[in-house]
């Protein structure tokens, strides 16, 4: 069975600085999807970025980018120029390309942004 | 384009009771998934519905059941509530495979006393 691990329960970053959130996963599959979701106090999960495993190029969305290391089964999220609005819980998620289209989430990392 | 709407936002029930949670999908999405998020944890997959049929189920007992309607809205029903059912219940809609990600609602906070 697939698992997702986020080893950093909490991280802090100074406003305008860069922070990297870690995520590792375990799977025997070669084709899958990876996601980062943000959950602010409003509770609504918001998609930050997605990565398709068969694409070697790292995904980028404005200030958010990933470092996808398929062999190491690592999928870290880098937030550049951190803003106060980035403060939230961040969840890493895995989705198989076959079978049930369920997402497997990690336990989350709480990001604090310091003014 | 409307997002995903869940009702109610908060609910308090007594152990042994039954509860129904509701979800309206984002326009154009035909698949609904339900997740349970316990305090301090990541969401756990309950089940998914596609075109009114259950399309996959997580490790939850049969007292968790659901429905999807022709307009793609959905209900989550939980019978014989237990204290451990206290959690945030998230509904997410997507196109069939969810390859491009889910759109989540803001959840229903269920407290069982």
């Amino acid at each position: 069975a697939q698992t997702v691990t986020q080893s950093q329960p909490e991280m802090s970053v100074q406003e305008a600085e860069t922070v990297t959130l870690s995520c590792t996963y375990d799977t025997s599959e070669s084709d899958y999807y990876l996601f980062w979701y943000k959950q602010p106090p409003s509770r609504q999960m918001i998609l930050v970025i997605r990565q398709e495993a068969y694409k070697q190029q790292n995904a980028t969305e404005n200030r958010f980018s990933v470092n996808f290391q398929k062999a190491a089964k690592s999928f870290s999220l880098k937030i550049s120029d951190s803003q106060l609005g980035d403060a939230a819980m961040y969840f890493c998620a895995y989705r198989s390309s076959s079978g049930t289209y369920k997402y497997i989430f990690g336990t989350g990392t709480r990001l604090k942004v310091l003014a | 384009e409307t997002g995903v709407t869940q009702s109610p936002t908060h609910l308090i029930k007594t152990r042994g009771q039954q509860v129904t949670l509701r979800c309206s999908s984002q326009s154009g999405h035909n698949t609904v998934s339900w997740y349970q998020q316990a305090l301090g944890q990541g969401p756990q997959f309950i089940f998914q519905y596609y075109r009114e049929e259950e399309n996959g189920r997580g490790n939850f007992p049969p007292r968790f059941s659901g429905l999807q309607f022709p307009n793609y809205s959905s209900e989550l029903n939980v019978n014989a509530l237990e204290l451990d059912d206290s959690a945030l219940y998230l509904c997410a809609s997507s196109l069939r495979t969810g390859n491009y990600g889910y759109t989540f609602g803001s959840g229903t906070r269920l407290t069982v006393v």
Side-chain angles (χ1 to χ4, degrees):
Chain A
Q2 297 89 8
T3 58
V4 176
T5 302
Q6 293 180 249
S7 59
Q8 305 156 317
E10 190 172 294
M11 294 282 285
S12 296
V13 62
Q14 206 70 33
E15 196 176 7
E17 296 296 308
T18 296
V19 65
T20 298
L21 308 184
S22 300
C23 173
T24 59
Y25 57 94
D26 189 28
T27 184
S28 59
E29 300 177 330
S30 59
D31 194 17
Y32 47 86
Y33 298 84
L34 297 165
F35 304 86
W36 278 98
Y37 278 86
K38 169 185 177 181
Q39 187 177 40
S42 66
R43 309 182 320 200
Q44 185 178 21
M45 302 274 277
I46 300 165
L47 178 64
V48 175
I49 200 165
R50 64 185 284 273
Q51 175 79 40
E52 299 171 51
Y54 63 86
K55 289 186 176 179
Q56 293 186 340
Q57 185 174 6
N58 290 324
T60 300
E61 289 287 344
N62 301 314
R63 298 183 294 108
F64 299 87
S65 62
V66 297
N67 183 3
F68 173 50
Q69 300 290 327
K70 191 172 184 179
K73 298 178 183 175
S74 171
F75 182 60
S76 60
L77 174 69
K78 185 172 82 171
I79 306 174
S80 304
D81 186 25
S82 297
Q83 300 175 0
L84 295 177
D86 294 334
M89 285 291 293
Y90 285 81
F91 291 94
C92 177
Y94 171 100
R95 211 226 77 181
S96 172
S97 64
S98 62
T100 303
Y101 297 123
K102 67 178 182 181
Y103 285 25
I104 299 169
F105 287 87
T107 53
T109 296
R110 180 173 301 282
L111 178 65
K112 295 185 175 181
V113 181
L114 308 174
Chain B
E1 177 180 278
T2 58
V4 174
T5 304
Q6 291 188 243
S7 63
T9 55
H10 296 84
L11 200 54
I12 300 174
K13 288 287 190 178
T14 303
R15 189 171 50 183
Q17 285 188 315
Q18 178 267 342
V19 68
T20 297
L21 310 182
R22 294 179 173 82
C23 172
S24 295
S25 307
Q26 176 170 311
S27 177
H29 285 179
N30 55 19
T31 302
V32 173
S33 303
W34 286 91
Y35 285 79
Q36 180 195 66
Q37 186 177 14
L39 198 61
Q41 299 296 316
Q44 298 288 317
F45 177 72
I46 303 175
F47 44 55
Q48 183 181 85
Y49 279 83
Y50 171 66
R51 290 187 176 178
E52 303 176 57
E53 292 195 2
E54 189 178 287
N55 184 48
R57 188 177 185 90
N59 189 26
F60 281 81
R63 59 189 185 84
F64 285 78
S65 63
L67 284 172
Q68 186 182 31
F69 301 100
N71 66 354
Y72 302 131
S73 65
S74 178
E75 289 182 353
L76 165 64
N77 299 290
V78 187
N79 294 321
L81 284 166
E82 300 177 0
L83 297 180
D84 285 349
D85 296 334
S86 296
L88 179 67
Y89 288 85
L90 295 167
C91 172
S93 73
S94 65
L95 296 173
R96 175 68 179 94
T97 61
N99 288 351
Y100 294 93
Y102 289 142
T103 299
F104 280 88
S106 296
T108 294
R109 172 74 66 191
L110 173 65
T111 302
V112 182
V113 298

